[in-house]
Amino acid sequence: PSPPQTLARFLPATLQSNGMRCRDETPTSAQDLLARGQLDAKDFIEVSPDIENTLMEAFIEDDYDGRLHLMTLSMMRRDVDDDRHDIEEIIGVSFWREVPADEMGDWFDVERISKMITKSTIEHEHDSDYSNDVKCRMKLVRSSSIKWIQNALASTDQDKTDTKASIDQLTHSWVKIELIAIKQSYRAHHLGNILLGCTLAKAHEHNEHAILHVAGGGSKNIPAAKLYGRFGFLEVPRHDEGGPFAKPDR
């Protein structure tokens, strides 16, 4: 994804100019927002709200020992009951998780990854929709990602019997974007770009690489696929179709 220093430059001004705020929540603050009806899952995920409910429960109960994070995007609006005052409304939520190296090691199929790195660039099915300057930035991000994987696999190419160094380099410092959701009444305003940018900027403070799953698959959820593509995410095949990740594979 886009380098954190790039995100850090434009996000504060973007948030301020639009009267918005991105905030890291705690289990206590999340419970308070739930009690005030600010985080009703059906407002954000109308098809399968259980996904957000499950993540929220895990966050509040700290099932991941502090590795699951919740970020909210809020906006000030006029209070309908008292037009003399403004109130803060939660318009977006994101959950992201720091993935331990041993868990990431179970996800990678190193042999397949080494075979897949044969080109200096990777094309995305929606690339034709982007302007030339966006394509250039995406190419740089992808080339950098591929170079990182090539370097990590270098010892595997030299010594087939010892892949521990490669595994250690490939599996450290990962996060998984569990959920990005914008409130239904605020969609089609490119707010997903701001929320994902804030999420990645925060995740990149202590981690370098990110992975996510597009609900329904990229071919069915084209808006989500385009959003993630703009941030440099690459679409990969499922493992049963020759993809590099053994799991999670859904």
Side-chain angles (χ1 to χ4, degrees), residues 50 59 92 109 113 144 153 157 172 174 190 201 204 207 240:
D50 287 346
F59 177 70
D109 187 326
I113 292 176
S144 176
L153 292 170
D157 295 334
H172 86 287
W174 280 82
H190 305 290
H204 271 299
N207 304 275
D240 57 11

Side-chain angles (χ1 to χ4, degrees), residues 3-70:
Q5 60 268 27
T6 302
L7 296 173
R9 281 203 303 269
F10 75 83
L11 282 173
T14 300
L15 290 168
Q16 183 176 9
S17 64
N18 289 279
M20 295 183 293
R21 179 169 68 166
C22 270
R23 179 174 56 206
D24 292 310
E25 302 296 347
T26 66
T28 300
S29 66
Q31 287 179 306
D32 179 61
L33 289 171
L34 282 170
R36 291 191 281 121
Q38 284 270 37
L39 293 176
D40 189 337
K42 288 182 285 189
D43 289 339
F44 297 90
I45 309 178
E46 59 271 29
V47 177
S48 52
D50 287 346
I51 296 174
E52 182 182 338
N53 289 331
T54 300
L55 288 167
M56 186 66 71
E57 181 179 350
F59 177 70
I60 291 174
E61 297 296 329
D62 196 19
D63 290 347
Y64 291 96
D65 299 322
R67 293 192 300 270
L68 180 64
H69 305 269
L70 167 62

Side-chain angles (χ1 to χ4, degrees), residues 27 69 145 184 196:
H69 305 269
S145 297
Q184 296 178 50
L196 180 57

Side-chain angles (χ1 to χ4, degrees), residues 37-178:
Q38 284 270 37
L39 293 176
D40 189 337
K42 288 182 285 189
D43 289 339
F44 297 90
I45 309 178
E46 59 271 29
V47 177
S48 52
D50 287 346
I51 296 174
E52 182 182 338
N53 289 331
T54 300
L55 288 167
M56 186 66 71
E57 181 179 350
F59 177 70
I60 291 174
E61 297 296 329
D62 196 19
D63 290 347
Y64 291 96
D65 299 322
R67 293 192 300 270
L68 180 64
H69 305 269
L70 167 62
M71 176 170 282
T72 58
L73 177 66
S74 61
M75 175 181 287
M76 300 302 296
R77 66 170 178 81
R78 186 69 64 185
D79 188 346
V80 295
D81 297 320
D82 185 353
D83 59 10
R84 295 171 300 176
H85 298 90
D86 291 335
I87 60 174
E88 187 175 26
E89 180 180 6
I90 302 298
I91 60 175
V93 295
S94 71
F95 287 91
W96 61 277
R97 180 170 66 90
E98 300 165 67
V99 183
D102 56 348
E103 182 180 349
M104 202 69 207
D106 291 336
W107 293 9
F108 270 118
D109 187 326
V110 176
E111 183 178 356
R112 284 192 182 178
I113 292 176
S114 62
K115 291 179 180 179
M116 291 176 67
I117 306 303
T118 58
K119 297 181 179 180
S120 60
T121 60
I122 296 179
E123 297 299 324
H124 187 278
E125 64 176 312
H126 302 298
D127 280 358
S128 60
D129 297 330
Y130 302 129
S131 63
N132 289 332
D133 63 323
V134 171
K135 289 180 183 178
C136 182
R137 292 198 298 271
M138 289 165 56
K139 181 178 179 181
L140 290 173
V141 169
R142 294 171 185 176
S143 295
S144 176
S145 297
I146 292 169
K147 183 178 179 181
W148 163 72
I149 295 175
Q150 286 175 323
N151 290 338
L153 292 170
S155 63
T156 304
D157 295 334
Q158 296 169 6
D159 185 356
K160 299 295 182 180
T161 63
D162 183 12
T163 62
K164 185 179 185 304
S166 295
I167 294 292
D168 289 346
Q169 188 168 354
L170 280 172
T171 58
H172 86 287
S173 198
W174 280 82
V175 298
K176 182 173 184 286
I177 308 300
E178 298 283 1

